[in-house]
Amino acid sequence: MTDAADGVTVPPPAPQVSGGGASPVAPARPKSAAARPDGVRRTLMVGGVLLIVSAVAAFAAPQAFGASLPFHSILYWGATAAFSAAVLVFGVGAGRGGSIVARRPLGVTAAFILALWPFAERVQTWAMPFDEGTTEFYQVWGYVSLTVKVAAAIVLVVQIARAGVVTGRVRWAPAWALAAVVVPQVLAQVMGIAMGIDQSRTEADALILLFGLGQLASFAAPVTLGILAIVLAQRRATLSGDPVQIYPPAG
């Protein structure tokens, strides 16, 4: 209890049971299983910064390649590593109790698949270099790889929304960001196949527009999510069971 000038706080009343006595205190969840405010804030801060770095590096890599600068590969792999690290930080957590999927096995597995798949693709190209004899294989592999990444991303964003660590409407922000990136590219692919357009020989304005929207979203979505994560990290987390102020009345 504090002085009146500072505000009086008391713990929330214990629920009553028949007979007027207070009910026994329910056993607390193990600390390792509960989301900790400091861990969640650290996760959001670190993951948000990494997302922004990955987007900026991915945007700069093609510009460096066009200018024949030697470090375009460094930028490309830096962007890939930063994105993968951000996904792992969100899935596993930066510290105990910091996972925004509450370390649920499905969410953590999806995070690992999404984070490590780009490196698996690189190993694949090392093991089987692209040439005339592997053209058909890589056409199929491209669709398989895209399916795996999109499926893992969908599972991850759904687990973020359902875990309850991030609450309110903002918990669906990763899902909307994923839709903004994937939908234009999928529509472009479907339209090209349906209309029989050979994209290597024909330039269709609709396809160019859709691909452009997808590329814009690929930059804007991680930047937006990164900024949102940093903003959320600055908010003071409120633990359930915090003392309730009774005097003076809370404004």
Side-chain angles (χ1 to χ4, degrees):
M1 181 174 294
T2 61
D3 294 336
D6 297 327
V8 178
T9 59
V10 297
Q16 299 293 320
V17 295
S18 58
S23 64
V25 178
R29 291 187 301 171
K31 291 184 178 180
S32 60
R36 298 184 177 184
D38 56 341
V40 174
R41 289 197 296 271
R42 190 181 305 113
T43 294
L44 292 172
M45 177 63 70
V46 174
V49 170
L50 287 171
L51 277 181
I52 296 174
V53 170
S54 71
V56 173
F59 177 80
Q63 315 304 322
F65 181 80
S68 300
L69 297 177
F71 56 85
H72 64 86
S73 295
I74 297 176
L75 288 173
Y76 170 76
W77 284 108
T80 302
F83 179 80
S84 297
V87 172
L88 289 178
V89 166
F90 287 135
V92 179
R96 297 180 62 185
S99 170
I100 62 173
V101 296
R103 288 197 177 182
R104 293 181 175 180
L106 186 58
V108 173
T109 300
F112 270 94
I113 292 175
L114 187 61
L116 300 180
W117 194 257
F119 302 97
E121 290 178 315
R122 184 59 176 172
V123 172
Q124 173 64 39
T125 57
W126 280 339
M128 185 181 295
F130 183 82
D131 54 32
E132 294 182 359
T134 59
T135 301
E136 293 184 1
F137 168 81
Y138 275 106
Q139 287 178 345
V140 177
W141 172 255
Y143 288 108
V144 171
S145 180
L146 178 62
T147 301
V148 170
K149 289 187 289 188
V150 171
I154 291 174
V155 171
L156 180 59
V157 298
V158 171
Q159 288 299 304
I160 291 174
R162 296 185 61 185
V165 177
V166 179
T167 58
R169 294 182 180 180
V170 73
R171 73 187 190 277
W172 290 106
W176 287 111
L178 177 63
V181 173
V182 172
V183 170
Q185 300 184 39
V186 171
L187 288 178
Q189 294 288 347
V190 172
M191 184 180 297
I193 295 174
M195 299 177 63
I197 299 175
D198 187 349
Q199 300 176 24
S200 63
R201 299 180 180 180
T202 305
E203 293 185 357
D205 292 340
L207 295 184
I208 294 175
L209 176 61
L210 288 174
F211 277 121
L213 289 174
Q215 292 176 351
L216 176 61
S218 296
F219 171 76
V223 170
T224 302
L225 288 179
I227 293 174
L228 182 60
I230 293 173
V231 170
L232 289 177
Q234 303 304 315
R235 294 184 178 179
R236 179 181 179 274
T238 302
L239 288 172
S240 59
D242 272 352
V244 178
Q245 180 173 324
I246 60 173
Y247 181 84

